[in-house]
């Protein structure tokens, strides 16, 4: 479906050197004059398919995320037409960029801006995926789509301890661009923003580095900025994805079949306070050994934790407030979510001089009401990790199924 494959990219860039300059010009000249020379096959993820890429796809190293608001002010029918044209344009651009091609359009004309901004000329796709989701606000009176809002797209409740910045939350449409090349991921977001100018305005965005989850059993478990392995028990197999991640035939909205629901949470970490805590305390907060990732009940990273184990003094070996205990499927009726988190840093906090950094938590699921919301209610009330984190940004988005060769994002949603 969306698994990575390798293919030739030769000849994709056919622009003349007159319209570009510097490094880009040199790269494009080489492409045009050496068409028969063997080239290294780029890592590429198929854009089309029954399900969108960027969900079950093996997680890439870099993230560029953005949420947009529509700026239309016509009748619902006119606004739907504007949204439809936007999504057609975005789909064509995203498809091209995922194939390592420039954004479609004129790039040689000297009297007009190039169709592609150019910073990724000469770059390989590096497994680029571009994934779209629609926020609850898209289903208000502006577009006449209220009857097509899925029940599972219910507004997230307020959770204990969160301190959300409303200017860095929500949005009508969200784009998740992931790649192993940060320039390629940024290029995707930048060009979609440019193409949408006049119809959408960016509401908030986030760059992420160092993936903080693995979505393939072939990937090593990465670490978060607290230094612990993150996502050891993430979903890796197709059967579990079908059960917990992708929307099935039982959906109340057909346009969401084979789609998924994305929850984005920007989680600021109190890194410097954490760094002063004792190792034993850090491990009790997570319920795991810091360096091996093994549960405190012993074994290796992937061994099943024993939540019934006791210390000699009778206390639980994995503390009752440990993050792992509270989030474990064994203690939540089997509930699981697919994590695609990234570390982030936004520089420093001016008022304190501390590092402004944390986790940009992205997770996909079949129904947020019974998955993320249920888990987060428990974590926000009881997680020992809450002493060191604050949720400062949030968004919920309905990600439709994938597109065919001649389809555009959201086509079934906008069908009359």
């Amino acid at each position: 479906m969306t698994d990575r494959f390798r293919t030739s990219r030769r000849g994709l860039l056919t622009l003349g050197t007159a319209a570009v300059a510097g490094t880009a010009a040199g790269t494009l000249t080489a492409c045009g004059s050496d068409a028969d020379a063997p080239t290294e096959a780029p890592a590429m993820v198929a854009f089309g398919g029954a399900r969108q890429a960027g969900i079950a796809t093996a997680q890439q190293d870099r993230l560029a995320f953005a949420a947009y608001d529509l700026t239309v002010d016509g009748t619902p029918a006119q606004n739907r037409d504007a949204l439809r044209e936007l999504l057609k344009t975005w789909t064509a651009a995203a498809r091209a960029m995922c194939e390592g091609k420039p954004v479609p359009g004129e790039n040689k004309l000297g009297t007009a801006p190039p169709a592609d901004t150019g910073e990724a000329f000469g770059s390989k796709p590096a497994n680029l995926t571009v994934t779209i989701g629609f926020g609850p606000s898209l289903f208000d009176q502006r577009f006449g789509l209220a009857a097509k809002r899925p029940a599972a797209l219910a507004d997230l409740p307020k959770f204990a301890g969160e301190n959300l910045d409303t200017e860095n939350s929500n949005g009508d449409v969200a784009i998740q661009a992931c790649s192993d090349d940060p320039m390629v991921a940024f290029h995707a977001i930048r060009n979609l923003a440019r193409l949408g100018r006049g119809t959408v305005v960016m509401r908030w965005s986030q760059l992420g580095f160092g993936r903080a989850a693995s979505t393939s059993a072939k990937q090593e478990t990465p670490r978060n900025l607290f230094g612990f392995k993150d996502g050891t028990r993430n979903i890796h197999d197709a059967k579990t994805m079908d059960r917990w991640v992708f929307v099935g035939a039982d959906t109340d909205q057909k346009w969401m079949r084979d789609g998924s629901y994305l929850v984005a949470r920007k989680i600021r970490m109190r890194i410097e306070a954490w760094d002063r805590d004792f190792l034993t305390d850090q491990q009790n907060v997570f319920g795991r050994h810091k360096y091996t990732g093994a549960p405190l009940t012993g074994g290796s990273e992937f061994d099943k934790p024993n939540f019934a184990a006791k210390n000699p003094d009778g206390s639980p070996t994995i503390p009752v407030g440990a993050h792992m205990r509270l989030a474990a499927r064994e203690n939540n009726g089997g509930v699981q979510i697919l994590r695609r988190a990234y570390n982030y840093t936004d520089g420093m906090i001016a008022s304190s001089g501390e590092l402004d950094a944390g986790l940009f938590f992205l997770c996909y699921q079949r129904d947020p009401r019974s998955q993320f919301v249920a888990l987060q209610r428990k974590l926000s009330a009881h997680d020992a990790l809450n002493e060191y984190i604050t949720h400062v940004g949030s968004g919920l988005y309905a990600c439709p199924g994938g597109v065919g060769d001649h389809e555009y994002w959201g086509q079934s949603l906008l069908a009359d």
Side-chain angles (χ1 to χ4, degrees):
M1 171 190 60
T2 57
D3 290 338
R4 300 176 182 184
F5 65 92
R6 291 177 178 274
T7 186
S8 172
R9 182 172 175 267
R10 187 187 319 162
L12 293 179
L13 298 176
T14 57
L15 303 174
T17 56
V20 291
T23 303
T27 302
L28 296 175
T29 300
C31 288
S33 62
D34 199 16
D36 296 327
T39 57
E40 182 182 354
M44 191 182 300
V45 180
F47 177 79
R51 294 169 173 171
Q52 288 197 70
I55 301 175
T57 306
Q59 190 166 340
Q60 303 91 326
D61 291 335
R62 300 291 184 135
L63 165 76
F65 174 92
Y68 305 82
D69 284 336
L70 275 292
T71 57
V72 294
D73 58 0
T75 65
Q78 291 171 331
N79 293 341
R80 284 197 304 275
D81 287 342
L83 176 59
R84 185 178 291 109
E85 289 306 308
L86 171 75
L87 294 176
K88 287 180 178 178
T89 301
W90 274 9
T91 304
R95 189 191 304 274
M97 291 187 284
C98 289
E99 294 173 352
K101 301 175 182 175
V103 170
E106 179 59 66
N107 283 287
K108 299 179 182 178
L109 188 63
T111 56
D116 190 296
T117 53
E119 70 270 31
F121 283 169
S123 299
K124 299 172 182 175
N127 293 310
L128 174 66
T129 56
V130 185
T131 311
I132 194 168
F134 304 126
S137 57
L138 191 75
F139 299 87
D140 62 18
Q141 73 285 354
R142 292 171 296 166
F143 301 94
L145 295 173
K148 293 192 174 183
R149 177 174 175 171
L153 195 65
D155 293 332
L156 296 178
K158 181 173 177 56
F159 297 105
E162 68 181 15
N163 185 22
L164 302 182
D165 178 356
T166 56
E167 294 184 355
N168 287 284
S169 297
N170 306 317
D172 292 334
V173 184
I175 295 290
Q176 170 199 279
C178 299
S179 173
D180 293 320
D181 183 335
M183 181 69 88
V184 170
F186 173 79
H187 172 257
I189 291 295
R190 177 185 177 186
N191 276 273
L192 295 188
R194 181 181 57 80
L195 292 167
R197 195 159 296 144
T199 305
V200 294
V201 60
M202 191 177 293
R203 181 182 178 91
W204 64 300
S205 66
Q206 186 65 54
L207 298 178
F209 68 94
R211 62 181 175 83
S214 61
T215 52
S216 168
K218 296 178 181 178
Q219 294 179 309
E220 184 176 349
T221 308
R223 294 182 185 272
N224 56 37
L225 295 184
F226 285 148
F228 277 75
K229 292 194 173 187
D230 209 327
T232 292
R233 307 187 80 194
N234 206 15
I235 299 172
H236 291 146
D237 65 279
K239 183 178 180 180
T240 310
M241 294 268 188
D242 289 342
R243 170 67 181 87
W244 293 107
V245 179
F246 291 104
V247 176
D250 56 342
T251 176
D252 60 341
Q253 296 291 344
K254 290 183 179 179
W255 66 270
M256 274 300 294
R257 177 72 189 273
D258 285 320
S260 188
Y261 292 92
L262 166 63
V263 174
R265 302 285 285 187
K266 185 174 182 177
I267 305 173
R268 180 175 292 160
M269 293 176 165
R270 299 185 183 89
I271 289 177
E272 295 176 28
W274 174 264
D275 291 345
R276 293 193 292 271
D277 199 2
F278 297 156
L279 175 61
T280 298
D281 289 340
Q282 292 184 359
Q283 294 183 154
N284 283 335
V285 166
F286 276 96
R288 290 188 177 276
H289 292 281
K290 184 166 188 173
Y291 303 115
T292 65
L296 294 182
T297 46
S300 59
E301 179 190 350
F302 295 102
D303 286 343
K304 187 176 180 179
N306 179 4
F307 294 111
K310 303 286 188 181
N311 294 319
D313 64 359
S315 61
T317 304
I318 299 175
V320 294
H323 183 78
M324 179 180 66
R325 174 186 287 276
L326 294 171
R329 54 182 177 268
E330 293 91 338
N331 303 322
N332 291 284
V335 168
Q336 299 182 62
I337 55 177
L338 177 68
R339 302 167 54 100
R340 285 189 68 92
Y342 286 86
N343 299 308
Y344 80 85
T345 178
D346 288 343
M348 59 169 281
I349 302 171
S351 60
S352 64
E354 295 181 310
L355 290 170
D356 186 355
L359 185 74
F360 197 67
F361 182 84
L362 301 170
C363 68
Y364 287 89
Q365 58 248 274
R366 189 184 182 103
D367 189 336
R369 297 170 297 178
S370 58
Q371 294 176 261
F372 174 79
V373 171
L375 292 171
Q376 186 55 29
R377 282 191 193 281
K378 190 174 182 181
L379 289 168
S380 66
H382 304 292
D383 193 350
L385 194 57
N386 292 334
E387 181 180 351
Y388 301 97
I389 62 172
T390 303
H391 289 228
V392 296
S394 178
L396 168 66
Y397 310 97
C399 304
V403 295
D405 290 343
H406 303 290
E407 296 178 330
Y408 60 90
W409 282 329
Q411 183 167 332
S412 56
L413 167 64
L414 294 173
D416 295 327

